[in-house]
């Protein structure tokens, strides 16, 4: 499903992106912290800066909202 997203309606400073990250793509020292997971989720600012890595998608959205950010999913 491709649904257009109208960015004009959102404050870009508050917008963050949530996307899956393969643990194998992380630095070796971070891979050991993945506790056996194959995939974790990253929260990125609108300019692409990685703000956080968390164990699952729902936690990424909760973290963003608790920090007054507006999360959107990225595939």
């Amino acid at each position: 499903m491709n649904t257009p997203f109208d960015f004009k309606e959102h404050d870009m400073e508050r917008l963050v992106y949530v996307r899956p990250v393969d643990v194998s793509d992380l630095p070796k020292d971070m891979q050991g912290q993945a506790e056996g997971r194959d995939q974790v989720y990253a929260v990125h600012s609108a300019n692409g800066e990685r703000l956080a890595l968390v164990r699952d998608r729902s936690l990424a959205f909760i973290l963003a909202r608790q920090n007054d950010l507006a999360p959107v999913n990225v595939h």
Side-chain angles (χ1 to χ4, degrees):
M1 180 166 115
N2 290 330
T3 305
F5 187 82
D6 186 4
F7 289 96
K8 291 179 240 171
E9 294 181 18
H10 297 277
D11 181 359
M12 292 299 285
E13 290 180 14
R14 292 185 50 241
L15 189 67
V16 292
Y17 303 96
V18 174
R19 72 174 192 87
V21 175
D22 289 334
V23 170
S24 62
D25 292 336
L26 295 174
K28 293 287 184 200
D29 60 326
M30 295 180 81
Q31 289 180 18
Q33 298 176 33
E35 300 174 348
R37 290 179 175 78
D38 294 326
Q39 198 172 65
V40 293
Y41 286 80
V43 179
H44 290 267
S45 66
N47 68 5
E49 178 185 2
R50 183 182 289 167
L51 303 173
L53 286 170
V54 295
R55 68 177 176 258
D56 59 52
R57 182 181 176 277
S58 63
L59 183 58
F61 275 75
I62 290 168
L63 176 69
R65 290 182 182 126
Q66 285 180 340
N67 287 281
D68 295 323
L69 300 170
V72 294
N73 196 43
V74 175
H75 302 280

